[in-house]
């Protein structure tokens, strides 16, 4: 078993999360079950914020809440004075419903409707990140009508495409997100924004990808963005107050990924802070308020999904299927992009692996798998499996496919556990059926 801060095993080879045995969690809450280690989330949030404070001194971390959105996560994040990114009215309302300060919300999306924007402006959200030319006109009209002066950023595409261990300096300009700097589209959008007096045009935003390990990608992004800040200053005499460099920090999914300590995580943030400070000084631009938007790195490794082993099918000489009581309805990431996970025989951690299994979900789709070629001890029906690093983009992507119920979410801390999302019921499933 990989060393992970959230996980321990007891003397009988049973996995513990946040000090609670998985057998106890499964008995109390049933499976499938999403479990989050609250201390892990809090530790990362605090150290990200402290790192920005220490190495840059002017800025805020906005948790990208699409990674895992529910009332409790906005309470936790808000309690630690982080901001949050929201990408829909649904996320925005969830945050606002638990008293999350509107001014600490940042609203994203490539297709925010007039109604969405009106809701955001009227709610007093801190920032709207513009990603379409006509959106500029819409917000301008909304501001005129409401007498509000909305802070906005413009999303640009700095031409860096970063994925996991690689980055490409000249990304293809065909992303659906942002205005391309290289094609001149970004500057046209900037010019248009500068004519709008009802908007408080604070600066630019970029988000260069996800699951990025290569810190160089962020260094290049900071360089490209400050180049553009200097150009805007020289050409239009405008100094932006804010720079949003997005999120995308990589986490550990499998043993092939680097093992992360808290200080490795904060290294991403420190690198960005140090580079930005250097660029600002060298280029003689106004020091902008720095916004960062990590999602996966805050909640990803904090989450574990527990399943109960069901039918085991051994196709002689070909493959061993081990089916679990969940699947693509609670974790669609394998089906979507063959995402890889570490899977543990959570009640047999003292036994040696003897067999290779493909972990299958219970949905009627051949592609409904959780992981392939997993070495495990001899497994039996009723055993508990733990899939690690499922805290990000699992619950938030869950569905009722095949009319399965979305599993509940349980938070653990200091050997205590509590529901933060209760189980769905059959009544929930048919609530809107006529
Ligand atoms: C998804 C997203 C993020 C968060 O990305 P992670 O890989 O989860 O850190 C941040 N900013 C924007 C604009 C995003 O779309």
């Amino acid at each position: 078993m990989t060393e992970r801060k959230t996980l321990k095993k007891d003397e009988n080879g049973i996995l513990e999360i946040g000090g609670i045995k998985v057998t106890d969690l499964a008995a109390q809450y049933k499976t499938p079950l999403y479990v989050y280690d609250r201390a892990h989330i809090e530790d990362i949030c605090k150290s990200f914020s402290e790192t920005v404070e220490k190495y840059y001194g002017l800025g805020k971390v906005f948790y990208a809440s699409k990674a895992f959105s529910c009332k409790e996560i906005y309470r936790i994040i808000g309690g630690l004075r982080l901001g949050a990114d929201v990408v829909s009215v649904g996320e925005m309302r969830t945050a606002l419903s638990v008293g999350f300060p509107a001014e600490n919300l940042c609203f994203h999306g490539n297709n925010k409707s007039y109604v969405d924007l009106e809701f955001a402006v009227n709610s007093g959200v801190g920032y709207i990140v513009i990603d379409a030319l006509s959106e500029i006109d819409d917000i301008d009209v909304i501001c005129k009508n409401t007498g509000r002066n909305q802070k906005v950023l413009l999303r640009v595409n700095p031409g860096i495409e970063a994925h996991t261990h690689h980055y490409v300096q000249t990304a293809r300009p065909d992303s659906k997100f942002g205005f391309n700097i290289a094609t001149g589209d970004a500057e046209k959008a900037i010019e248009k924004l500068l004519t709008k007096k009802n908007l408080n045009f604070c600066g630019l935003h970029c988000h260069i990808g996800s699951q990025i390990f290569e810190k160089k990608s962020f260094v290049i992004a900071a360089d490209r963005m400050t180049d553009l800040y200097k150009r805007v200053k020289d050409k239009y005499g405008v100094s932006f107050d804010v720079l949003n460099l997005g999120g995308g920090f990589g986490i550990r999914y499998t043993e092939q990924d680097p093992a992360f300590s808290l200080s490795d995580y904060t290294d991403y943030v420190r690198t960005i802070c140090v580079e930005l400070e250097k660029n600002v000084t060298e280029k003689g631009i106004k020091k902008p308020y720095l916004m960062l938007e990590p999602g996966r790195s805050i909640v990803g490794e904090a989450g574990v999904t527990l399943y109960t082993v069901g039918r085991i099918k051994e196709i002689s000489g070909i493959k061993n299927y081990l089916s679990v009581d969940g699947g693509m309805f609670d974790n669609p990431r394998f089906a979507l992009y063959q995402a890889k996970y570490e899977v543990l025989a959570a009640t047999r951690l003292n036994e040696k692996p003897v067999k290779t299994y493909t972990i299958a979900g219970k949905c009627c789709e051949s592609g409904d798998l959780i992981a392939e070629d997993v070495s495990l001890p001899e497994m039996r029906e009723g055993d508990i499996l733990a899939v690690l690093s499922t805290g990000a983009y699992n619950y938030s992507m869950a569905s009722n496919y095949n009319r399965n119920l979305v599993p509940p979410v349980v938070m653990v801390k200091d050997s205590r556990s509590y529901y933060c999302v209760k189980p769905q019921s059959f009544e929930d499933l048919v609530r809107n059926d006529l």
Side-chain angles (χ1 to χ4, degrees):
M1 176 177 125
T2 318
E3 271 314 305
R4 285 175 196 250
K5 195 173 158 291
T6 50
L7 307 175
K8 289 205 172 60
K9 75 171 178 176
D10 76 358
E11 66 279 6
N12 299 315
I14 295 175
L15 183 69
E16 290 181 359
I17 308 169
I20 310 181
K21 284 192 221 311
V22 292
T23 41
D24 291 343
L25 289 166
Q28 185 177 352
Y29 298 104
K30 313 282 184 291
T31 60
L33 181 68
Y34 298 107
V35 185
Y36 282 80
D37 184 328
R38 181 172 171 147
H40 185 88
I41 297 173
E42 291 171 340
D43 287 351
I44 293 199
C45 286
K46 282 183 208 153
S47 67
F48 278 177
S49 294
E50 283 163 10
T51 305
V52 170
E53 190 51 43
K54 182 168 170 200
Y55 291 96
Y56 192 74
L58 181 65
K60 198 187 237 343
V61 177
F62 285 67
Y63 163 61
S65 66
K66 71 180 193 277
F68 171 53
S69 178
C70 66
K71 289 184 176 182
E72 181 69 353
I73 196 70
Y74 293 107
R75 288 190 199 101
I76 295 172
I77 297 290
L80 296 170
R81 303 192 192 289
L82 271 74
D85 271 10
V86 288
V87 294
S88 68
V89 168
E91 286 184 357
M92 207 178 334
R93 290 188 61 175
T94 309
L96 295 171
S97 74
V98 294
F100 196 95
E103 67 269 22
N104 288 342
L105 290 175
C106 179
F107 187 29
H108 279 280
N110 63 303
N111 189 23
K112 306 182 222 55
S113 71
Y114 186 90
V115 173
D116 296 343
L117 293 165
E118 206 170 29
F119 183 85
V121 172
N122 283 325
S123 303
V125 302
Y127 298 89
I128 296 177
V129 181
I130 290 170
D131 198 359
L133 282 177
S134 61
E135 198 183 340
I136 299 173
D137 301 314
D138 280 0
I139 305 176
D140 188 49
V141 169
I142 294 165
C143 285
K144 212 171 283 170
N145 292 343
T146 57
R148 286 176 184 263
N149 186 253
Q150 177 65 48
K151 285 193 280 189
V152 298
L153 304 175
L154 180 74
R155 179 162 185 167
V156 303
N157 174 354
I160 306 150
E161 194 175 31
H163 298 289
T164 311
H165 299 283
H166 307 283
Y167 66 89
V168 192
Q169 284 210 38
T170 45
R172 298 194 342 241
D174 65 354
S175 167
K176 79 165 180 173
F177 294 112
F179 290 89
N180 204 273
I181 297 178
T183 58
D185 292 339
E187 222 164 295
K188 280 194 205 117
I190 290 170
E191 281 178 10
K192 175 167 177 155
L193 263 163
L194 288 173
T195 66
K196 301 290 184 188
K197 294 286 164 280
N198 297 302
L199 303 183
N200 180 358
F201 181 23
C202 302
L204 307 179
H205 164 275
C206 71
H207 172 68
I208 57 173
S210 213
Q211 187 58 5
I212 302 167
F213 290 112
E214 185 61 72
K215 289 189 196 70
K216 185 86 186 285
S217 314
F218 298 109
V219 173
I220 298 170
D223 181 45
R224 295 253 170 106
M225 295 297 278
T226 48
D227 274 353
L228 186 53
Y229 275 47
K230 176 154 173 42
R231 202 150 68 240
V232 168
K233 182 182 164 222
D234 293 346
K235 192 162 167 189
Y236 307 103
V238 171
S239 289
F240 288 132
D241 292 324
V242 178
L243 172 61
N244 186 330
L245 287 174
F249 312 147
I251 67 164
R252 172 169 234 204
Y253 281 103
T254 69
E255 286 171 323
Q256 274 74 54
D257 297 327
F260 275 112
S261 65
L262 201 55
S263 70
D264 294 317
Y265 272 122
T266 52
D267 255 8
Y268 291 121
V269 175
R270 191 171 48 84
T271 302
I272 291 173
C273 289
V274 170
E275 282 302 315
L276 182 57
E277 188 78 57
K278 201 175 91 196
N279 274 285
V280 164
T281 310
E282 282 174 10
K283 293 169 190 170
I285 56 174
K286 179 177 176 186
K287 179 169 172 167
Y289 181 86
L290 172 64
M291 293 168 71
L292 293 174
E293 310 174 316
R296 188 189 311 271
S297 51
I298 289 181
V299 290
E301 286 195 44
V304 174
T305 307
L306 300 182
Y307 299 109
T308 301
V309 174
R311 309 302 171 189
I312 298 172
K313 184 179 286 173
E314 308 197 341
I315 308 176
S316 306
I318 298 179
K319 211 166 191 163
N320 302 318
Y321 279 105
L322 186 160
S323 293
V324 294
D325 52 355
M328 61 192 288
F329 61 94
D330 65 78
N331 183 356
R333 291 186 71 254
F334 184 91
L336 272 176
Y337 24 72
Q338 282 73 57
K340 297 207 166 27
Y341 287 97
E342 184 172 353
V343 180
L344 301 179
T347 48
R348 299 181 183 279
L349 296 176
N350 286 343
E351 297 174 34
K352 292 220 162 18
V354 294
K355 228 175 214 175
T356 302
Y357 292 97
T358 289
I359 315 297
K362 60 180 282 192
C363 294
C364 287
E365 295 279 339
S366 301
D368 172 30
L369 304 178
I370 297 294
E372 286 184 301
D373 302 329
V374 184
S375 295
L376 295 174
E378 184 77 39
M379 299 298 286
R380 293 194 189 86
E381 288 188 19
D383 282 348
I384 296 171
L385 277 192
V387 181
L388 309 188
S389 297
T390 57
Y393 306 107
N394 276 235
Y395 171 75
S396 63
M397 285 188 172
S399 74
N400 287 121
Y401 184 54
N402 287 182
R403 292 243 144 172
N404 284 298
L405 303 176
V406 173
V409 182
V410 159
M411 201 59 76
V412 300
K413 191 182 176 183
D414 301 331
S415 308
R416 245 176 29 87
S417 67
Y418 63 96
Y419 273 132
C420 58
V421 180
K422 67 181 185 179
Q424 282 191 330
S425 62
F426 173 70
E427 287 68 35
D428 293 328
L429 208 54
V430 295
R431 189 175 302 284
N432 297 331
D433 290 7
L434 302 175

